Every structure is written in C-alpha cells, then in structure tokens.
Amino acid sequence: MMKSVLLYYPFEVAENANSGSKLRPKEMYKAFQQWGSREGVNILLLSGNSAARESLFEQWKAEGKLDDLWFCYMENQTIPFWLTDKGHIPKKPFIDTKVMKFLKQRHVPVGVFYRDVYWKFDELYPLKGAKKAIMKAIYRMEENFYNKYCDVIFLPSDAMGKFVDINRKKVSLPPGGKESQVVRSERLKQTAQGLYVGGINNEDYGLFLLLNALQLANNEETICELTVVCREDEYKGLSEEKKARLQEMNVAVKHVSGEALNELYREMDFAFIPRYRSTYNDFSVPVKLVEYLSNELPVIATYCQAQQEIIETDGYGLICEDKPEDMAQAIVKMTKDAEHYRENIQKTFLQKHSWLARVEKIKSTLLK
C-alpha cells in the first residue's frame, strides 16, 4: 500500500502569496508534492477554514485515506490557529484537537513549523491592555497544544529556540531557496552594482546605515553603485531630505516586482541586508536572504545571528557590524571577491537550502 503524509494547515492557503508568511505554506506544499511523486508517497493537504477541515477530515477518515499515515507536518500562522477563520471566530473550534488526537492514537509523528514569537516582545506587539492579555493567553494555549501533540517544533532559526516555551525537540527550518535560471547579464559598467530590496520607512531596516557606509566606501573613488527596490508609497512617504540624500548619492530607486525584479537580479553583483541587530532580528531569517541567494547574489549582511549562520557556514557573503565603518570595509572587500562567493552559492546553496531539502529534513527528523 502506498504511504501517505498529512499536511495540516489550519487556515486557508492564500491564492496570492505576497508575503513570507503566505509564501511558505505554498512552497512547502509544492515541494512535498514534488518529493511525493519522486518517492511514491501520497501527499494529503488538509486545509481551509475550520468547517471545511472538519468535513474533509471526516470524509478521509471514512474512506480509509488516513489509515496508513507516515508522518504529519503542520504549519501555523502569525495568529493562533483557533482564530484563522474569517472574523476570527472558529465555526468548528475542536477540529484541531480532533485531528491531533487521531494522530496521537495511531502514533503518527507530528512536526509543526512555529513561525513567530513577536507577541513575546512588548516593543513589537501592537496590542495594549485587556486585549493584549487575552491574546497572550491564547498564544500560550497554542504553545501548550503543540507541547501536548507534537513531537518536533520546527523554527525559522536555532536562535529562536530559547524564546519558545515548548518542551519538545526544536529543529531549524529556515525559508527555502527556489531554483531559478540565472543567466548573468552583460557587464556594462566597471563599477560594482549593489542591490537593496525591501522596506525603507523603518529605521530598523538600515537603509540609511547602508548609505552612510556606501559614502565611506566611495570616498576616494566610486567603487560601488546602489540600486534600491521599494514600494512606491514608501518612497513617496520619505522626508524631502532623505529623498535628496538618495539623489545626491546617485542611488537608482525602482519599484519593480516579478519578472522585472528578476531581470534586475541578473544585472547586480551583490546584495545588502543592513538590518540593525536586535534580539528579534537575531532569530528571524529574512525571506530576502534566500531570494538573493536563489539568484546567485552574494550578500553583505549585518551580524544578526540567524542570517550570519546561513551566510558564513558556506561562504555566501560577508558579515559586518551594524556600523557604517564596518559595513564600508565589507563593501570594499566584496567589490573584489564577489565572484568567489558566487561560486560558493552555485556549489551548495540549492542542494542545502531548496524547499525540497527542507522536506527531506522534516522527514529525517520526524522518522528518527
């Protein structure tokens, strides 16, 4: 009989995945399907609102589809899974417990990807007062639920483990990289081309730290030019002096996505993640990091723990402190060595960090 693996997503999978939290469940599902067809394993996705999950679960149970489950992989969202129905009120509040009890009785190993602990940080969590107290209580219930029913907790990074109060084996499972046909564009300029993609309206993202570093690096002669890709409304919202600064430094500002962004990746030599270091940034892995690496772009990043580990372990770029002088030195070095880091990325990145590699890791962790 063909083995089956259950993917349990207690939410509706977004049609249009425009953020990391929506992208991940989709990419994991695609990778599981790819892996399943290669290994002859049947992949069952149980997702949707609570009522849809309940009826599908009962149907599959009746049809005997769940009789021979090898393991179960679950994803959570940034809000506790009881609240993922529209209006945050579950029609079938007990379906998740029902599914997990069923798996436990049959000794099916379960691993959950636990996405985020921003609710534990007062400076990041927007709610106040009674609402906050209630939400925190629900988040704790969710932790207790995983403690009771899951064998393994998968996290974006090892560094996040100490903030998760679940007494289970914790394993890092950062976002995966995508195979993309990278064909470098012809070099038109002698000057190195650096790229920053992301938010520009939050000090924490470090765009202006990057500008200060760039100014130092280009002090004697221009060795690196910068292209910034951001949302148009964020650019419009910048103060006049910040806009003037970008212009004075000849920074190319673009608002592109999709294929146009892919084109741009091909013209660049390396990319930046200049975030300021904080407890939270220490354990989060920016989706941008794997996107840069999927496009074979070496990365200059600040010394936030989780990103540092991925970049340094296999030599995918340079790590610096979140200070202009230190970053400027990294820029000077990168303009000379980018090719060496690019070769490292080509050698090991997809083999170690594709979504398919993540599926293999889930399997080998759960079936120990």
Side-chain angles (χ1 to χ4, degrees):
M1 193 171 155
M2 198 176 183
K3 283 204 162 91
S4 298
V5 166
L6 180 67
L7 261 51
Y8 188 58
Y9 290 179
F11 48 85
E12 294 180 48
V13 180
E15 276 309 304
N16 175 19
N18 57 357
S19 67
S21 55
K22 292 181 181 154
L23 185 79
R24 183 189 189 100
K26 272 191 122 135
E27 292 297 339
M28 284 304 301
Y29 179 43
K30 276 200 301 218
F32 262 106
Q33 286 176 306
Q34 205 184 336
W35 172 81
S37 65
R38 193 186 71 196
E39 303 287 325
V41 176
N42 194 12
I43 306 298
L44 300 166
L45 174 64
L46 184 52
S47 72
N49 64 32
S50 58
R53 295 198 305 276
E54 170 116 82
S55 77
L56 195 56
F57 176 63
E58 292 302 341
Q59 182 192 327
W60 282 351
K61 215 163 64 173
E63 293 168 354
K65 272 194 176 170
L66 305 175
D67 289 350
D68 197 30
L69 289 176
W70 209 9
F71 61 89
C72 167
Y73 171 71
M74 175 177 176
E75 287 250 350
N76 83 342
Q77 291 281 277
T78 38
I79 54 170
F81 59 78
W82 295 287
L83 308 180
T84 57
D85 278 11
K86 283 200 170 55
H88 301 318
I89 295 165
K91 285 199 177 68
K92 301 282 182 182
F94 303 113
I95 176 59
D96 311 289
T97 307
K98 205 180 201 176
V99 171
M100 290 299 143
K101 277 190 169 152
F102 173 87
L103 297 172
K104 209 176 173 76
Q105 277 162 358
R106 284 162 182 72
H107 307 290
V108 176
V110 179
V112 64
F113 179 74
Y114 190 63
R115 172 175 310 284
D116 211 330
V117 287
Y118 74 103
W119 59 277
K120 297 192 177 192
F121 295 85
D122 285 344
E123 67 273 21
L124 297 171
Y125 194 51
L127 292 182
K128 300 277 173 277
K131 258 191 173 162
K132 180 174 178 171
I134 292 168
M135 275 308 284
K136 283 198 160 184
I138 298 176
Y139 275 115
R140 283 202 192 90
M141 275 166 61
E142 190 181 30
E143 284 192 327
N144 291 336
F145 181 90
Y146 297 141
N147 204 35
K148 187 169 178 184
Y149 293 111
C150 298
D151 302 275
V152 176
I153 310 298
F154 293 106
L155 301 169
S157 68
D158 288 326
M160 180 169 144
K162 58 174 178 289
F163 298 96
V164 178
D165 298 316
I166 305 174
N167 200 2
R168 288 276 168 258
K169 180 177 180 173
K170 301 184 182 96
V171 175
S172 72
L173 202 73
K178 267 204 176 99
E179 267 183 73
S180 55
Q181 297 309 309
V182 182
V183 181
R184 308 281 305 149
S185 296
E186 273 300 295
R187 283 308 302 260
L188 300 171
K189 296 177 177 170
Q190 280 310 298
T191 324
Q193 300 297 309
L195 177 68
Y196 171 84
V197 181
I200 60 171
N201 60 353
N202 182 330
E203 276 306 301
D204 198 41
Y205 299 146
L207 175 64
F208 290 88
L209 161 66
L210 168 55
L211 292 185
N212 294 341
L214 197 61
Q215 213 158 5
L216 291 172
N218 287 337
N219 194 12
E220 283 166 28
E221 53 168 334
T222 302
I223 58 167
C224 174
E225 291 174 2
L226 178 65
T227 301
V228 168
V229 176
C230 62
R231 292 203 175 101
E232 196 166 358
D233 55 341
E234 285 197 14
Y235 179 69
K236 284 185 176 147
L238 279 186
S239 68
E240 288 312 313
E241 60 186 315
K242 284 186 169 168
K243 280 186 196 148
R245 174 108 199 264
L246 286 162
Q247 275 153 5
E248 276 157 33
M249 291 185 64
N250 293 320
V251 174
V253 178
K254 305 193 172 189
H255 315 295
V256 292
S257 58
E259 199 35 56
L261 180 55
N262 291 338
E263 286 289 310
L264 195 57
Y265 281 136
R266 292 179 198 125
E267 294 162 21
M268 295 290 139
D269 295 311
F270 49 86
F272 292 98
I273 302 182
R275 308 189 298 171
Y276 281 97
R277 189 169 179 189
S278 64
T279 311
Y280 186 79
N281 284 346
D282 253 349
F283 63 71
S284 69
V285 176
V287 173
K288 274 292 158 277
L289 173 59
V290 279
E291 199 168 295
Y292 290 153
L293 295 173
S294 295
N295 286 284
E296 296 181 4
L297 284 179
V299 180
I300 292 180
T302 45
Y303 60 158
C304 306
Q305 220 173 324
Q307 62 189 27
Q308 174 166 3
E309 198 174 312
I310 291 174
I311 292 166
E312 282 191 339
T313 303
D314 296 290
Y316 297 153
L318 288 165
I319 295 295
C320 60
E321 290 183 32
D322 50 8
K323 297 188 180 72
E325 306 73 32
D326 209 46
M327 193 176 287
Q329 284 173 353
I331 294 172
V332 173
K333 190 167 162 26
M334 182 61 91
T335 55
K336 302 187 181 91
D337 300 341
E339 204 43 53
H340 157 73
Y341 297 116
R342 181 170 297 111
E343 282 165 17
N344 290 346
I345 297 169
Q346 288 163 341
K347 273 186 213 137
T348 65
F349 176 67
L350 275 181
Q351 162 203 337
K352 283 188 155 189
H353 296 282
S354 65
W355 289 107
L356 204 54
R358 300 289 180 252
V359 170
E360 294 284 1
K361 187 170 182 180
I362 291 168
K363 179 201 140 193
S364 62
T365 308
L366 285 174
L367 295 179
K368 278 216 168 108

